[in-house]
Amino acid sequence: MGYNLLKGKRGIIFGALNDMSIAWKVAELAHQQGATFTLSNTHVACRMGSVTDLAEKTGSEVIPADATNISDLENVINKSTEVLGGKIDFILHSIGMSLNVRKKRPYHDLDYNYLNKTLDISAISFHKLIQTAFKADAMNEWGSIVGLSYIAAQRSLYGYNDMADAKSLLESIARSFGYIYGREKKVRINTVSQSPTVTTAGSGVKGIDGLIDFSERMSPLGNADAEDCANYCLTLFSDLTRKVTMQNLYHDGGFSNMGMSLRAMKQYNKSFDSDDVNDLY
Amino acid sequence: MGYNLLKGKRGIIFGALNDMSIAWKVAELAHQQGATFTLSNTHVACRMGSVTDLAEKTGSEVIPADATNISDLENVINKSTEVLGGKIDFILHSIGMSLNVRKKRPYHDLDYNYLNKTLDISAISFHKLIQTAFKADAMNEWGSIVGLSYIAAQRSLYGYNDMADAKSLLESIARSFGYIYGREKKVRINTVSQSPTVTTAGSGVKGIDGLIDFSERMSPLGNADAEDCANYCLTLFSDLTRKVTMQNLYHDGGFSNMGMSLRAMKQYNKSFDSDDVNDLY
Amino acid sequence: MGYNLLKGKRGIIFGALNDMSIAWKVAELAHQQGATFTLSNTHVACRMGSVTDLAEKTGSEVIPADATNISDLENVINKSTEVLGGKIDFILHSIGMSLNVRKKRPYHDLDYNYLNKTLDISAISFHKLIQTAFKADAMNEWGSIVGLSYIAAQRSLYGYNDMADAKSLLESIARSFGYIYGREKKVRINTVSQSPTVTTAGSGVKGIDGLIDFSERMSPLGNADAEDCANYCLTLFSDLTRKVTMQNLYHDGGFSNMGMSLRAMKQYNKSFDSDDVNDLY
Amino acid sequence: MGYNLLKGKRGIIFGALNDMSIAWKVAELAHQQGATFTLSNTHVACRMGSVTDLAEKTGSEVIPADATNISDLENVINKSTEVLGGKIDFILHSIGMSLNVRKKRPYHDLDYNYLNKTLDISAISFHKLIQTAFKADAMNEWGSIVGLSYIAAQRSLYGYNDMADAKSLLESIARSFGYIYGREKKVRINTVSQSPTVTTAGSGVKGIDGLIDFSERMSPLGNADAEDCANYCLTLFSDLTRKVTMQNLYHDGGFSNMGMSLRAMKQYNKSFDSDDVNDLY
């Protein structure tokens, strides 16, 4: 769908890793809509071949950065305006990581150094990125900054751990800085609260896949996938949504406003048949 | 727990039918806390023995009323101030009914006369009741009015039908009139969004019970029952919550802020075992 | 901005009256984006020259309808699919009216016949319209229905009266039917909660204009105007937002998430200077 | 109002500094309701005479602690159960501080070391406190933990700076740990979102007082003061609210659900008179 919706717009896309990434899809589709942009990810990630492939495919430059490091961010901002030939119109922040999750520290036994890292990488980096752009006056008027969030910011999901708190903080930063950047430079800042997205790991029946299945059956339109999300981000980067700011926007097939769907209830009720069956044998 | 929390307070309790009713529990516990009150319900309901039993037990007078009828409401308000010997301190509105639900008209095939009835009985009656009290200047300063709601007002639950819309309207009326009654007479108005409550019908495994089971497993403290709810209402009628108004207060064991619990997910995942089992036979 | 964003899409636009109307702007811009559509409004409104002008300008047919009347709605739906040559892709519902407001009945002295009319015209008409389309199976898959709302649905504004309750009901209907229409036909339903929009009446300093001024100063990007809103509606009708449903989307320059802005506070504080000045003279 | 509402209950109250503090009022009123408790605050604060006065008045022991320091928190928990003779029934967390605010670093020029301190002191300390209690199994079943918050967690207020983000994080922690502590030990965790509270600094017309004045005129019941808040906290510590958990509860005279009040609008509109006056002179 080549509408030229982002024709002439310059952007920076953080977080593309492989073709399962939402940021990857955003890059592909923004390219298709006429945008030019740079790509950024951690130094480790940027050494992986796939990011280079994406860069080639979309005619982009890759600028590695630790998103928690101010001078790295300054470098991304400065180089991007240089390379792209002007101020920036849109930024995607798709960055998150929890060592507590990785190291299997449950929420009632958090390691607080890990927690600080979770917050720094997944939320404070958003502030650092925006503050760096703000100080460099690097965004055009009516520019648009989007961070990716998840409904765990509002509702507790077992196992999501300290990432829930990081997402709450991320969304708060979008509001707090959205007020200031809007007031001072007419730049809008929003978060997109996206469906759980199927990962490289594939889809079995149990564990995290149970949640994705539940979410799929609860959502009248089903889970939104990475490409859906990228399309939605395009609208937020476009000139058609100039007065939308400080919002957390659910992009989830309706999940956020469902209490119980017929499909999910039917599936849930099968669990009792299972018990019956077990009772019989 | 006789704290005398409502000592000297006068109230009106709408909607007590039998000892499963939340309003019934509110009456019992308010009596225990030193309140005096009148009971109101439809003419049909008031002819049932159980309401009379409750009235005797709590030393209350029963004043039948169609809660959609202004002159009936005027009668309840006037008689109540007469019988109780002064202005009213608290009112409970526990009234709701949908003919579309009863007559099994699904939400995409509503009968609009039924819908009007649903809204009139379940939501507009709340406005009528409050406006009647307001015009009669029948409430004491710092009085408290509570309506009972359900999370369907925010999130869609299959089968809850037009009652969802009625609850949204009810909560809106609490806000709208809460502003005016607070400003003019320092009367607060809130709604309590209560867990699904087990009814006379008993608890099997399927159908509506599936939802109650799911809600129970999702809520870290389990579903709140009618007695829990009544206790909570007492605090809202007391002098300890004078500055709480225009709120919709979730009384639900935590359900409203849960995305997925371990217990509900475990049960849900059993449904796939069931499929496996079915596959085998 | 001719992106051909709605190329080949067929729509129905309710509520265009004159060039101040949001629906009017939606029609102009949807036309520019390649959509074809019909226009509907009350019989009285359709006899006014301006609607005919818009129809000519956009190559549209006008189909008058009382939006609370099922057979009128059936006629709009049927004629529209006929005229446009296929199923419908998008519908805009921009309809609202309160006799209590017009007749200056304050919220604590509502006329309940007027209230029923307010709800019927401003909210239930949304259900009637959607149910009519649903029964006629008149929408294409991934079609999009948008209703216009206002933040009064969440927060009380003096003088907005029973329209606040109507907007709450409207938003609830969007959720309730959004679930069903999404599940059954993949049609999405959302409401846009729009800034207060300057009307024909012009803008002085006092009265309703005080609210618009306050809203303007509170919103970091200022109030959104009718054209901004129309642009936003285009994105919701497009294929780029397919997984957004059951949402109430704030399009308000950030107002909804503001507690207090510097600009509004400065203006507010001037009011005390005024008192000082008055004290002196 | 001595209802013996907390008779036999043991608590820990963090953050009482002087008789303007909400925590101070909670201590006084909890004592009056029959509770026994310990008091905790920073080492510096505890050396001030006033905390000792409160301790004497309420028969409490003071246990100094840096609330960001785990071993200090372990000491408070352990000593408290020792001194009080059993497990804890309620905890109040009234702790917050921002060096960015104090050092006048605006939100678009944050010092990130200060931000880390803001989050650690004002939000993560809540997690540390709860995790410490959880690990020590120091709470009784149906115990209640309350943190104090402010609406800045949802809506941006100029000048509130990084405390807004800290409050968002605090409320998220209440939800996240509320799920786990509820599930495992039936302990509830909530935050109270309190009106802006008049401080020692006194009340003039400009600056922060402008906000308090605005909030007072917007709220139909006026701002809630420290004593109101303390009374509300009592209900949350009592056995009457056992099924309320994971909630952020607005205690604000209705402010949170107001869009615009008559009183605030009148005052705001005076600001334009002021301009007129200025124009004339």
Side-chain angles (χ1 to χ4, degrees):
Chain A
M1 299 181 290
Y3 304 113
N4 277 321
L5 197 62
L6 303 183
K7 196 178 175 182
K9 294 205 180 296
R10 304 177 194 97
I12 309 177
I13 295 171
F14 285 84
L17 184 65
N18 60 40
D19 64 2
M20 312 292 284
S21 317
I22 291 170
W24 185 284
K25 297 288 180 190
V26 171
E28 288 185 334
L29 296 180
H31 176 62
Q32 203 181 314
Q33 297 295 338
T36 56
F37 46 84
T38 57
L39 297 168
S40 184
N41 208 323
T42 60
H43 295 84
V44 172
C46 288
R47 278 194 291 274
M48 293 168 66
S50 53
V51 181
T52 319
D53 292 351
L54 179 65
E56 275 175 29
K57 201 172 158 185
T58 59
S60 312
E61 194 153 320
V62 178
I63 311 172
D66 170 354
T68 67
N69 182 297
I70 300 294
S71 63
D72 277 19
L73 289 170
E74 288 169 343
N75 185 50
V76 175
I77 297 287
N78 293 337
K79 275 217 176 140
S80 296
T81 54
E82 231 180 85
V83 167
L84 302 171
K87 290 193 183 184
I88 304 303
D89 296 294
F90 66 90
I91 298 179
L92 178 76
H93 176 282
S94 175
I95 301 172
M97 199 275 295
S98 162
L99 279 180
N100 281 305
V101 170
R102 284 200 188 172
K103 307 279 191 180
K104 299 193 193 300
R105 299 288 300 251
Y107 191 76
H108 51 279
D109 184 30
L110 289 189
D111 177 297
Y112 290 108
N113 288 324
Y114 292 170
L115 174 60
N116 289 342
K117 282 227 166 70
T118 300
L119 299 181
D120 200 20
I121 294 172
S122 313
I124 297 172
S125 68
F126 197 48
H127 190 286
K128 288 176 174 172
L129 167 60
I130 300 171
Q131 181 164 302
T132 302
F134 184 89
K135 286 185 171 181
D137 195 12
M139 298 284 295
N140 275 318
E141 274 205 353
W142 303 110
S144 172
I145 301 174
V146 169
L148 289 184
S149 195
Y150 182 46
I151 198 171
Q154 284 75 38
R155 299 189 206 150
S156 200
L157 292 111
Y158 91 93
Y160 203 71
N161 209 319
D162 58 350
M163 278 303 291
D165 300 333
K167 291 302 192 189
S168 289
L169 185 57
L170 178 84
E171 295 179 9
S172 180
I173 289 168
R175 284 188 297 271
S176 299
F177 225 136
Y179 162 51
I180 290 176
Y181 222 150
R183 183 187 74 194
E184 298 296 323
K185 300 283 178 181
K186 299 205 177 303
V187 169
R188 64 211 131 118
I189 306 178
N190 297 287
T191 48
V192 171
S193 185
Q194 161 71 6
S195 294
T197 316
V198 182
T199 59
T200 322
S203 83
V205 167
K206 293 291 181 56
I208 185 63
D209 300 319
L211 182 65
I212 290 178
D213 180 281
F214 175 74
S215 177
E216 173 75 22
R217 286 183 214 260
M218 279 286 275
S219 311
L221 300 178
N223 290 326
D225 66 21
E227 186 162 346
D228 293 327
C229 186
N231 275 318
Y232 188 50
C233 289
L234 298 184
T235 69
L236 295 175
F237 294 151
S238 82
D239 289 328
L240 301 174
T241 56
R242 283 186 169 189
K243 292 296 179 87
V244 178
T245 195
M246 302 174 69
Q247 302 301 314
N248 179 48
L249 298 157
Y250 292 100
H251 182 262
D252 62 359
F255 179 82
S256 45
N257 285 338
M258 288 301 303
M260 183 47 74
S261 73
L262 184 59
R263 285 195 300 160
M265 196 74 248
K266 273 189 180 167
Q267 188 62 34
Y268 186 79
N269 280 339
K270 281 188 195 173
S271 67
F272 301 104
D273 297 335
S274 171
D275 287 348
D276 296 347
V277 170
N278 290 338
D279 289 345
L280 292 174
Y281 290 94
Chain B
M1 300 182 290
Y3 304 112
N4 277 320
L5 196 62
L6 302 182
K7 196 179 173 181
K9 295 205 179 295
R10 302 177 196 96
I12 310 177
I13 296 171
F14 285 83
L17 184 64
N18 60 40
D19 63 2
M20 312 292 284
S21 318
I22 290 171
W24 185 285
K25 295 289 180 191
V26 170
E28 287 185 332
L29 296 181
H31 176 62
Q32 203 179 314
Q33 296 295 339
T36 56
F37 46 83
T38 57
L39 297 168
S40 185
N41 209 323
T42 59
H43 295 84
V44 172
C46 288
R47 278 194 290 274
M48 293 167 65
S50 52
V51 182
T52 318
D53 291 350
L54 179 66
E56 274 175 29
K57 202 172 157 183
T58 59
S60 311
E61 195 153 320
V62 178
I63 311 172
D66 170 353
T68 66
N69 181 297
I70 300 294
S71 63
D72 277 19
L73 289 170
E74 287 170 343
N75 185 50
V76 174
I77 297 287
N78 293 338
K79 275 221 176 137
S80 294
T81 54
E82 230 180 85
V83 167
L84 301 171
K87 290 193 183 184
I88 305 303
D89 297 293
F90 66 91
I91 298 179
L92 179 75
H93 176 282
S94 176
I95 301 171
M97 198 276 295
S98 162
L99 279 179
N100 281 305
V101 170
R102 284 200 188 172
K103 307 277 191 182
K104 298 191 194 300
R105 299 287 300 250
Y107 191 76
H108 50 280
D109 184 29
L110 288 189
D111 177 296
Y112 290 108
N113 288 323
Y114 293 170
L115 174 60
N116 290 342
K117 282 229 166 67
T118 300
L119 298 181
D120 199 20
I121 294 172
S122 312
I124 297 172
S125 67
F126 197 47
H127 190 285
K128 288 176 174 172
L129 167 60
I130 300 171
Q131 181 163 301
T132 303
F134 184 88
K135 286 186 171 183
D137 194 13
M139 297 283 295
N140 275 319
E141 275 205 354
W142 303 111
S144 172
I145 301 174
V146 169
L148 288 184
S149 193
Y150 182 47
I151 198 171
Q154 284 75 36
R155 299 188 207 150
S156 199
L157 292 112
Y158 90 94
Y160 202 71
N161 210 319
D162 59 350
M163 278 304 291
D165 300 333
K167 290 302 192 189
S168 288
L169 185 57
L170 178 84
E171 294 179 10
S172 180
I173 289 168
R175 285 189 295 273
S176 300
F177 225 136
Y179 162 51
I180 289 175
Y181 222 149
R183 182 187 75 195
E184 298 296 323
K185 300 283 178 180
K186 300 205 176 304
V187 169
R188 63 210 131 115
I189 306 179
N190 297 286
T191 48
V192 170
S193 185
Q194 161 70 6
S195 295
T197 315
V198 182
T199 59
T200 323
S203 83
V205 168
K206 294 291 182 55
I208 184 62
D209 300 318
L211 181 65
I212 290 177
D213 180 281
F214 175 74
S215 176
E216 172 75 23
R217 286 183 214 261
M218 280 286 274
S219 311
L221 300 178
N223 290 326
D225 65 21
E227 186 161 346
D228 292 327
C229 186
N231 275 318
Y232 188 50
C233 290
L234 297 185
T235 69
L236 296 174
F237 294 150
S238 82
D239 289 327
L240 301 174
T241 57
R242 283 186 169 189
K243 291 295 179 89
V244 178
T245 195
M246 302 174 70
Q247 303 299 315
N248 179 48
L249 298 157
Y250 292 101
H251 182 262
D252 62 0
F255 179 82
S256 46
N257 285 338
M258 287 303 303
M260 183 46 76
S261 73
L262 183 59
R263 285 195 299 161
M265 196 76 249
K266 273 189 179 168
Q267 188 64 34
Y268 186 79
N269 281 338
K270 281 188 195 172
S271 67
F272 301 104
D273 296 334
S274 169
D275 287 349
D276 296 347
V277 171
N278 291 337
D279 289 344
L280 292 173
Y281 291 93
Chain C
M1 300 181 291
Y3 304 114
N4 277 321
L5 198 61
L6 303 182
K7 197 179 174 181
K9 294 208 180 293
R10 304 177 194 96
I12 308 175
I13 295 171
F14 285 84
L17 184 64
N18 59 40
D19 63 2
M20 310 292 284
S21 319
I22 291 171
W24 187 284
K25 297 288 179 190
V26 171
E28 287 185 334
L29 296 181
H31 176 62
Q32 201 180 315
Q33 296 295 340
T36 55
F37 46 84
T38 56
L39 297 167
S40 184
N41 209 323
T42 59
H43 295 84
V44 172
C46 289
R47 277 193 292 273
M48 294 168 65
S50 54
V51 181
T52 319
D53 292 350
L54 179 65
E56 274 174 29
K57 201 173 159 184
T58 59
S60 310
E61 193 153 320
V62 179
I63 311 172
D66 169 354
T68 66
N69 181 297
I70 300 295
S71 65
D72 277 18
L73 289 170
E74 286 170 344
N75 185 50
V76 175
I77 296 287
N78 293 338
K79 275 218 176 138
S80 295
T81 54
E82 230 180 87
V83 167
L84 302 171
K87 290 192 184 185
I88 304 304
D89 296 293
F90 66 91
I91 298 178
L92 178 75
H93 176 281
S94 177
I95 301 171
M97 199 275 295
S98 162
L99 279 180
N100 281 305
V101 171
R102 286 200 187 175
K103 308 277 191 182
K104 299 194 193 300
R105 298 289 299 251
Y107 191 75
H108 50 280
D109 184 30
L110 288 188
D111 177 296
Y112 290 107
N113 287 324
Y114 292 171
L115 174 61
N116 289 343
K117 282 227 166 70
T118 300
L119 299 181
D120 199 20
I121 294 172
S122 312
I124 297 172
S125 68
F126 197 48
H127 190 286
K128 288 176 174 172
L129 168 59
I130 301 171
Q131 181 164 303
T132 302
F134 185 90
K135 285 186 172 180
D137 195 13
M139 297 285 293
N140 274 319
E141 274 206 353
W142 302 110
S144 173
I145 300 173
V146 169
L148 288 184
S149 194
Y150 182 47
I151 198 172
Q154 285 74 39
R155 298 188 207 152
S156 200
L157 292 110
Y158 89 92
Y160 202 71
N161 211 317
D162 59 350
M163 279 302 291
D165 300 333
K167 291 303 192 189
S168 288
L169 185 57
L170 178 85
E171 295 179 11
S172 180
I173 289 168
R175 286 189 295 272
S176 298
F177 225 136
Y179 162 51
I180 290 176
Y181 221 150
R183 182 187 76 195
E184 297 297 323
K185 300 283 178 180
K186 300 203 178 303
V187 169
R188 64 209 131 117
I189 306 178
N190 297 286
T191 48
V192 171
S193 185
Q194 162 70 6
S195 293
T197 316
V198 182
T199 59
T200 323
S203 83
V205 169
K206 295 291 182 54
I208 185 63
D209 300 319
L211 183 65
I212 290 178
D213 180 280
F214 175 75
S215 176
E216 174 74 22
R217 286 182 213 262
M218 280 286 274
S219 311
L221 301 177
N223 290 327
D225 66 20
E227 186 160 345
D228 293 327
C229 186
N231 275 319
Y232 188 50
C233 290
L234 298 184
T235 69
L236 296 175
F237 294 151
S238 82
D239 289 328
L240 301 174
T241 56
R242 283 188 169 187
K243 291 298 180 86
V244 178
T245 195
M246 302 174 69
Q247 302 300 314
N248 179 49
L249 297 157
Y250 292 101
H251 181 263
D252 63 359
F255 179 82
S256 47
N257 285 338
M258 287 303 301
M260 182 47 73
S261 73
L262 184 57
R263 286 196 298 161
M265 196 75 249
K266 273 189 179 167
Q267 187 62 37
Y268 186 79
N269 280 339
K270 282 189 196 173
S271 67
F272 300 105
D273 298 335
S274 171
D275 288 348
D276 295 348
V277 170
N278 291 336
D279 289 346
L280 291 173
Y281 291 95
Chain D
M1 298 180 292
Y3 305 113
N4 277 321
L5 197 62
L6 303 183
K7 197 179 174 182
K9 295 207 180 293
R10 304 177 195 97
I12 308 177
I13 295 171
F14 285 83
L17 185 64
N18 60 39
D19 64 2
M20 311 292 285
S21 321
I22 292 170
W24 186 283
K25 296 289 181 191
V26 171
E28 286 186 334
L29 296 181
H31 176 63
Q32 202 179 315
Q33 297 295 338
T36 56
F37 47 82
T38 56
L39 298 167
S40 184
N41 209 323
T42 61
H43 295 83
V44 172
C46 289
R47 277 194 292 273
M48 294 168 65
S50 54
V51 182
T52 319
D53 291 352
L54 179 65
E56 274 175 29
K57 200 172 159 183
T58 59
S60 310
E61 195 153 320
V62 179
I63 311 172
D66 169 354
T68 66
N69 181 297
I70 300 295
S71 65
D72 276 19
L73 289 169
E74 288 171 343
N75 185 50
V76 174
I77 297 287
N78 293 337
K79 275 220 176 136
S80 295
T81 53
E82 231 179 86
V83 166
L84 301 171
K87 290 193 183 184
I88 305 303
D89 297 293
F90 66 91
I91 298 179
L92 179 75
H93 176 281
S94 176
I95 300 172
M97 200 274 295
S98 162
L99 279 179
N100 281 305
V101 171
R102 285 200 188 173
K103 308 277 192 183
K104 300 195 193 298
R105 299 288 301 252
Y107 191 76
H108 51 280
D109 184 29
L110 288 189
D111 177 296
Y112 290 108
N113 287 325
Y114 293 171
L115 174 60
N116 289 342
K117 283 228 166 69
T118 300
L119 298 181
D120 200 19
I121 293 172
S122 313
I124 298 173
S125 68
F126 197 48
H127 190 285
K128 288 176 174 172
L129 168 60
I130 301 171
Q131 181 163 303
T132 302
F134 184 89
K135 285 186 172 181
D137 195 13
M139 297 285 294
N140 273 321
E141 275 206 352
W142 302 110
S144 172
I145 300 173
V146 169
L148 289 185
S149 195
Y150 182 47
I151 197 170
Q154 284 76 37
R155 298 187 208 153
S156 200
L157 293 110
Y158 90 94
Y160 202 71
N161 209 319
D162 59 349
M163 278 304 292
D165 301 333
K167 291 303 192 190
S168 288
L169 185 56
L170 178 85
E171 294 179 10
S172 180
I173 289 168
R175 286 189 294 272
S176 298
F177 225 136
Y179 162 51
I180 290 176
Y181 222 150
R183 181 188 76 196
E184 298 296 323
K185 299 284 178 179
K186 300 205 177 303
V187 169
R188 64 210 132 118
I189 306 178
N190 298 286
T191 48
V192 171
S193 186
Q194 162 70 6
S195 294
T197 315
V198 183
T199 60
T200 321
S203 85
V205 168
K206 294 289 181 55
I208 185 64
D209 299 320
L211 183 65
I212 290 178
D213 180 280
F214 175 74
S215 176
E216 173 74 22
R217 286 182 214 261
M218 280 286 274
S219 311
L221 300 178
N223 289 326
D225 66 20
E227 185 161 345
D228 293 327
C229 186
N231 274 319
Y232 188 50
C233 290
L234 298 184
T235 69
L236 296 174
F237 294 151
S238 81
D239 289 328
L240 301 174
T241 57
R242 284 187 168 186
K243 291 298 179 87
V244 178
T245 195
M246 302 175 69
Q247 303 300 314
N248 179 50
L249 298 157
Y250 292 101
H251 181 262
D252 62 1
F255 179 82
S256 47
N257 284 338
M258 287 303 302
M260 182 46 74
S261 73
L262 183 59
R263 285 195 299 160
M265 196 73 249
K266 273 189 180 168
Q267 187 63 36
Y268 187 78
N269 281 339
K270 282 190 196 173
S271 67
F272 300 104
D273 297 334
S274 170
D275 287 350
D276 296 346
V277 171
N278 291 337
D279 288 345
L280 291 174
Y281 291 95

